[in-house]
Amino acid sequence: MENQQKSTLGHLEPWCVVMRMLRNLWMILLAAFIGVMAAAIVARTQFPDQYGARITFVVMSRSSTSVMQDSSAANSVAATFSELLGSDFMRRKILEYAGLDRFSGTIQAVNAEDTNLITVSVTAGTAREAFLVINAMAEHYTDLIQYLFSGAVLSVLTAPVNYTVSTLPMTKQRMELLGGLACASLVILFLFFDLLRDDTVQTVQAARDKLDARLLLSISHERRRCRPGKKHRPLLITEPTVSFAFSESVHRLRSRLEQEKAAEGTNIFLLTSVMEHEGKSTLAENLALSLAQKHGSVLLVDSDFRKKSRFCEKARGWKTQEYDYRDFKLCCAHVKSTNLYVLYSPVMLKDPSRLLASGRFARLLGQLKDSFNYVIVDTPPLELFADAEMLADLDAASLLVVRQDLVPAPVINDAIDTLRQRKAKFLGCVLNDVHVLLPSLLAPYGSDYGYNYSSYGKYGKYGSYASDEQAARSDSAQNKGAKE
C-alpha cells in the first residue's frame, strides 16, 4: 500500500501552523526590527530631509483707500515676486545679500486668499542656507521690492521661522511600519512553506493519506491539570483529573488489542515510536492500566534500559521480585491498587543490545507471558537505537506511536517498513497528542473540563470509532477468508 503524498493545505492543522509561528516568534520579531531599521536607512539616504524658512509680509498700496485695494496689490506683488524670484538677476541679488556663492534651493512667494499677506518660503539642503537666504530677504526686502512693484509698500509681519520639509511620499513612521510588516510577512511565508516542506503528520486525514499503515486510533491532546500550589498530575487514566475523552481513547485502543489476542492468540504487544517525546511511554502505561482494570494481571515492561527507569522512584514500597543474571538485574514490582505488574531495570545498562541479542531477555518474556493475561512492552525509539528492532523479533504484535507534527512522514514510513520486516506482526499506527484549533476556540468550557464535544463530529468521536470498528471487523473477515 502506497499512501505517500506531499503535504497540501488540506493536510495542515491550523493549531500546528499557529504553534510553528509562536515557536519562531523571535525570528518574526527580528525580521520586523530589521525591516524597520532598513526602512529608516532608506528614508534617510534616499529621501533626505530638506530645510525651510519662511517670512510673512504685509502689502499695502501707496494709494490705498480700502483693504480690497491692498489685497489686489498683494496679489500683483505675489505673482510678480514668484516670477522674478526664479530669475538669475534676483537670485544673484539675494545671494549677494546672503553672502553665499551658490544656492540650489527654491524661493516661492504665496499670497493668502483675499488678504494682503504674502508668505515667502525658502527650501534648501541645509538649515544654514535656508536661514541666510530668508534673513537676507527680511533685512533687504526694501531694496528688492523696488525692482518688483513701485506702487506697493511691504512691511514684515512675522520674523523668519525655520522648519523641516520631508521629501518622503509618506510619513517616516508609516514607512518604517510598512518595512517591518513586509519583512515579518516574508519570514511568516518562509515558515509556512517550511512547514509544508517538513511533511509532518498533522491531521487524521494526513495520517491516512501519507502513512503506509493503518491508522488505529487518534488521541486528542490532554492538558495536564494541577491544583494550585501542587505539581502537575501524571496523565494516567487512574487520575480523577484526566478527561473522559482521553480515558475512552485508551479503552478503545485496549479493545483493539483484545480483538488481536482473540484472533491471533498474541498477548505480547510492543509500543514503539520513531523519536523521543512522542508520548509512547505514557500511552503504554495507560494501556496497561486499562487492561489491568478489566483482565487482572497485566505486565508492563520498561525495556529502555539505557535510561533510568521512571519506575525506580514509584516502586518504593511496592512488592518486588528480582531476576538476577550475571551482568544485569531486573525487578518486577506489583502495584496492588491497580493489579499491574512492572518489569524494569533498577540501573542503567551500558550495552543493552548485548542483552537483547543474547536472547535471554526474549526467553524471560517467553516465560512471563504465560503468567500474565497481557504483556505491554515499552521499547526505545527506532531512530535512536536498534533495541526496538531486536524486540520486534519476538512473537508479538507491534504498534507505532506517531505524535502530531513531530516526525516527517517519509521517516515514519521507513520505520513502518522496518517493523513489517520483523517477526512481530505490525498492527498499525496511533496518532497521538492531536491538537485541533477550532474546537478549542469554539468550546472553551468543554476544553476546560475535558469534554471537547465540538471535535466529536456528528455523533462525537464515537462516530469515527464506529467506522473504525467496522473497518477492523472487515479486515478480520478478509484475513479469515484468506486463511480458509
Side-chain angles (χ1 to χ4, degrees):
M1 179 175 60
E2 291 293 333
N3 281 343
Q4 297 185 37
Q5 296 183 9
K6 290 295 182 182
S7 290
T8 62
L9 293 179
H11 291 155
L12 294 181
E13 167 55 44
W15 173 271
C16 298
V17 177
V18 172
M19 292 307 297
R20 177 66 66 93
M21 301 306 165
L22 291 178
R23 283 195 296 268
N24 295 279
L25 184 60
W26 66 273
M27 293 178 59
I28 299 174
L29 295 177
L30 180 60
F33 175 76
I34 293 174
V36 170
M37 297 301 295
I41 293 173
V42 170
R44 176 168 294 184
T45 56
Q46 301 299 321
F47 302 94
D49 289 338
Q50 288 191 341
Y51 299 92
R54 69 168 65 94
I55 188 171
T56 303
F57 295 99
V58 178
V59 181
M60 297 183 64
S61 176
R62 294 183 184 277
S63 58
S64 173
T65 59
S66 66
V67 175
M68 293 297 295
Q69 289 183 354
D70 293 338
S71 177
S72 177
N75 287 333
S76 300
V77 171
T80 308
F81 208 176
S82 296
E83 182 178 351
L84 293 181
L85 284 175
S87 65
D88 293 338
F89 171 75
M90 186 60 69
R91 294 176 72 88
R92 285 198 302 271
K93 265 301 188 186
I94 293 174
L95 292 179
E96 180 184 340
Y97 292 142
L100 297 173
D101 296 332
R102 57 186 180 84
F103 177 68
S104 58
T106 62
I107 305 175
Q108 184 180 11
V110 178
N111 170 235
E113 187 177 358
D114 297 330
T115 66
N116 61 335
L117 302 178
I118 294 179
T119 300
V120 179
S121 302
V122 177
T123 58
T126 63
R128 178 176 177 275
E129 286 186 359
F131 177 76
L132 290 176
V133 171
I134 202 68
N135 190 57
M137 296 182 68
E139 293 181 355
H140 303 280
Y141 70 92
T142 53
D143 297 334
L144 296 173
I145 196 62
Q146 64 180 333
Y147 300 104
L148 301 178
F149 192 64
S150 59
V153 177
L154 269 68
S155 57
V156 177
L157 179 64
T158 60
V161 177
N162 283 28
Y163 60 91
T164 303
V165 180
S166 177
T167 59
L168 280 172
M170 62 187 75
T171 62
K172 282 186 177 181
Q173 291 78 6
R174 186 179 180 187
M175 187 171 182
E176 292 172 356
L177 177 63
L178 291 177
L181 289 176
C183 290
S185 300
L186 288 176
V187 173
I188 290 174
L189 283 176
F190 169 78
L191 293 173
F192 181 79
F193 286 109
D194 186 61
L195 183 63
L196 280 175
R197 186 181 58 82
D198 283 350
D199 200 20
T200 56
V201 179
Q202 301 180 19
T203 63
V204 172
Q205 189 59 45
R208 290 171 178 163
D209 291 342
K210 295 180 181 182
L211 301 185
D212 294 339
R214 183 181 175 192
L215 180 63
L216 299 175
L217 185 70
S218 64
I219 301 178
S220 298
H221 170 74
E222 178 71 8
R223 188 179 63 186
R224 292 181 180 269
R225 296 169 175 84
C226 66
R227 296 178 181 177
K230 294 188 176 181
K231 295 181 179 180
H232 285 287
R233 290 179 177 270
L235 290 179
L236 299 178
I237 58 174
T238 53
E239 291 291 330
T241 55
V242 173
S243 69
F244 171 79
F246 182 77
S247 299
E248 284 302 310
S249 297
V250 175
H251 295 327
R252 184 165 172 266
L253 185 59
R254 177 199 68 197
S255 69
R256 292 295 178 87
L257 303 192
E258 292 170 340
Q259 293 172 12
E260 181 64 23
K261 181 182 178 182
E264 303 293 339
T266 303
N267 70 336
I268 299 180
F269 296 92
L270 310 176
L271 268 73
T272 187
S273 61
V274 179
M275 300 296 293
E276 289 185 302
H277 311 299
E278 297 201 56
K280 163 184 56 66
S281 298
T282 299
L283 182 59
E285 187 171 353
N286 278 306
L287 188 57
L289 287 171
S290 178
L291 288 166
Q293 289 175 354
K294 185 175 180 180
H295 299 283
S297 61
V298 173
L299 176 64
L300 173 63
V301 180
D302 183 5
S303 63
D304 193 353
F305 300 130
R306 285 184 170 83
K307 295 180 2 181
K308 183 179 180 180
S309 176
R310 62 187 185 279
F311 296 108
C312 290
E313 297 293 333
K314 293 182 179 181
R316 292 180 179 177
W318 294 354
K319 184 179 179 181
T320 60
Q321 178 181 353
E322 293 185 354
Y323 297 89
D324 200 355
Y325 295 85
R326 294 178 182 177
D327 50 355
F328 73 96
K329 181 174 67 173
L330 297 178
C331 294
C332 184
H334 180 214
V335 188
K336 290 185 179 180
S337 59
T338 59
N339 202 25
L340 179 67
Y341 292 82
V342 180
L343 183 67
Y344 65 95
S345 173
V347 295
M348 292 183 291
L349 301 183
K350 294 181 179 179
D351 189 13
S353 299
R354 189 159 56 92
L355 164 65
L356 300 176
S358 66
R360 286 178 292 176
F361 185 72
R363 288 193 294 271
L364 174 61
L365 289 183
Q367 297 169 5
L368 292 175
K369 74 174 184 178
D370 297 330
S371 304
F372 296 93
N373 293 322
Y374 288 88
V375 177
I376 305 298
V377 182
D378 178 15
T379 69
L382 283 166
E383 280 292 302
L384 300 182
F385 310 105
D387 301 0
E389 296 182 37
M390 296 180 184
L391 290 169
D393 282 330
L394 296 173
D395 184 14
S398 62
L399 296 86
L400 184 66
V401 179
V402 178
R403 185 174 181 177
Q404 181 190 42
D405 192 29
L406 184 64
V407 182
V411 179
I412 299 173
N413 286 326
D414 291 341
I416 291 172
D417 293 338
T418 300
L419 292 174
R420 281 204 173 110
Q421 294 168 4
R422 295 295 172 173
K423 182 179 178 181
K425 179 183 177 181
F426 179 63
L427 300 181
C429 298
V430 177
L431 186 59
N432 193 29
D433 196 26
V434 180
H435 292 79
V436 182
L437 181 63
L438 272 181
S440 61
L441 294 177
L442 296 176
Y445 297 103
S447 176
D448 286 343
Y449 291 95
Y451 298 93
N452 200 348
Y453 294 112
S454 60
S455 64
Y456 280 23
K458 184 177 180 182
Y459 299 103
K461 278 196 173 178
Y462 299 105
S464 64
Y465 289 175
S467 63
D468 289 339
E469 293 294 348
Q470 292 173 1
R473 288 194 292 270
S474 176
D475 290 347
S476 178
Q478 291 177 3
N479 292 334
K480 289 182 180 179
K483 290 182 179 179
E484 292 176 359

